[in-house]
Amino acid sequence: MLKTLDLNQIMVIDIETVPQYAHYSDVPQHLQDLWEQKTLYQRSAEQSPEDFYEKAGIMAEFGKIVCVSLGIFYTQDKKQHLRIKSFYGHDELDLLKDFSMLLQKQPASLMFCAHNGKEFDFPYLCRRFLINGLDIPKQLELSGKKPWEVNHIDTMELWKFGDYKHYTSLNLLAAILNVPTPKDDIDGSMVRQVYYEEQNLPRIVTYCQKDVITTAQVLLKLKGVEEISAENITIVT
């Protein structure tokens, strides 16, 4: 499949998410009760629902998206290029509207690619679109589609080779494939802190964009083609 994959039909994406509220005390009581029920078997015996709330960002029911970064491949002067664009902000509804408007200009056959996208990015986006009262973009819609009609590529799934219990982080996969990665000053576990305590959304956007670049380079490696040089990667506003 990858040998015949048309890179010009692929959009590489990554999302960054945070809890909906800065502090557990800000969460409405009925949602606190539901949070306690939802996380009952995920928390250790020593952890209270409040202690565990820093994990709320990874659950679409209790988190929100603060950044969606995407990468588009294109060819110029017989060389492969990558263009990066991000949608970000404190208002998730506006962010998703802008992202949806861009997708409306793209063909329905557009394929999404993300690392662990089938377990996280793709379903999280769909859930947050619905929660915000928005239609799910046709490129993300699964309803009524046969498995082979779903245009989603997951670099982690590709690396599994059918091993359903296997998990490999993007950083590890990039390292073992000798894919150069930008040096990160944060990781996923720090996004909540950077957003609420440091109030530094641009730092999160940069981190998100780096993950898109790394995922794109990993995809190229799995496809067996040359990586894109740094000078051929463009970030647009």
Side-chain angles (χ1 to χ4, degrees):
M1 170 193 169
L2 290 182
K3 292 295 182 182
T4 59
L5 191 65
D6 183 0
L7 293 173
N8 294 329
Q9 295 298 314
I10 294 174
M11 177 181 286
V12 182
I13 71 168
D14 185 63
I15 66 173
E16 297 303 330
T17 64
V18 298
Q20 290 177 26
Y21 298 91
H23 305 287
Y24 186 69
S25 58
D26 298 329
V27 180
Q29 184 60 52
H30 71 288
L31 289 178
Q32 287 189 18
D33 295 339
L34 291 168
W35 171 255
E36 182 174 357
Q37 296 172 29
K38 172 90 173 176
T39 62
L40 180 62
Y41 299 107
Q42 299 176 39
R43 291 180 273 118
S44 67
E46 296 78 23
Q47 284 182 307
S48 68
E50 182 173 1
D51 294 335
F52 201 70
Y53 186 67
E54 65 179 20
K55 305 279 189 184
I58 66 173
M59 302 182 193
E61 300 86 356
F62 297 94
K64 70 173 184 174
I65 299 170
V66 295
C67 181
V68 178
S69 292
L70 55 93
I72 295 291
F73 295 99
Y74 68 98
T75 304
Q76 183 175 306
D77 298 329
K78 298 182 179 180
K79 293 183 179 180
Q80 196 70 59
H81 291 247
L82 184 69
R83 180 181 289 113
I84 306 291
K85 182 175 179 60
S86 295
F87 298 94
Y88 56 93
H90 305 294
D91 189 320
E92 184 187 47
L93 177 60
D94 287 344
L95 183 160
L96 292 177
K97 281 181 177 178
D98 290 343
F99 182 45
S100 180
M101 286 180 61
L102 180 140
L103 293 180
Q104 290 171 20
K105 302 174 184 177
Q106 307 301 317
S109 59
L110 180 74
M111 291 182 282
F112 282 123
C113 175
H115 190 79
N116 199 30
K118 291 186 177 182
E119 289 287 331
F120 184 69
D121 304 76
F122 306 145
Y124 201 111
L125 278 163
C126 290
R127 291 165 184 153
R128 296 308 301 177
F129 269 109
L130 287 179
I131 288 170
N132 281 279
L134 301 174
D135 292 334
I136 297 175
K138 55 184 178 295
Q139 295 90 348
L140 281 168
E141 183 62 70
L142 300 181
S143 179
K145 290 184 179 179
K146 299 178 177 63
W148 56 87
E149 294 174 333
V150 178
N151 293 327
H152 294 168
I153 299 173
D154 189 328
T155 50
M156 190 176 83
E157 182 182 70
L158 291 173
W159 185 249
K160 284 182 177 181
F161 293 101
D163 182 357
Y164 291 103
K165 65 182 181 297
H166 192 77
Y167 175 82
T168 305
S169 70
L170 178 60
N171 285 342
L172 174 56
L173 185 54
I176 60 178
L177 292 177
N178 293 317
V179 171
T181 57
K183 290 186 178 180
D184 293 322
D185 65 334
I186 64 172
D187 59 43
S189 67
M190 299 169 61
V191 171
R192 182 205 63 82
Q193 173 190 333
V194 173
Y195 182 77
Y196 280 118
E197 297 178 20
E198 297 182 15
Q199 299 184 0
N200 193 344
L201 182 57
R203 190 179 175 196
I204 295 172
V205 174
T206 299
Y207 168 67
C208 192
Q209 292 171 342
K210 289 179 179 179
D211 271 359
V212 168
I213 294 170
T214 301
T215 302
Q217 301 285 36
V218 165
L219 179 65
L220 294 176
K221 196 78 169 186
L222 295 174
K223 183 175 167 61
V225 298
E226 187 178 350
E227 299 154 18
I228 299 176
S229 58
E231 62 266 22
N232 291 333
I233 300 174
T234 305
I235 297 176
V236 298
T237 55

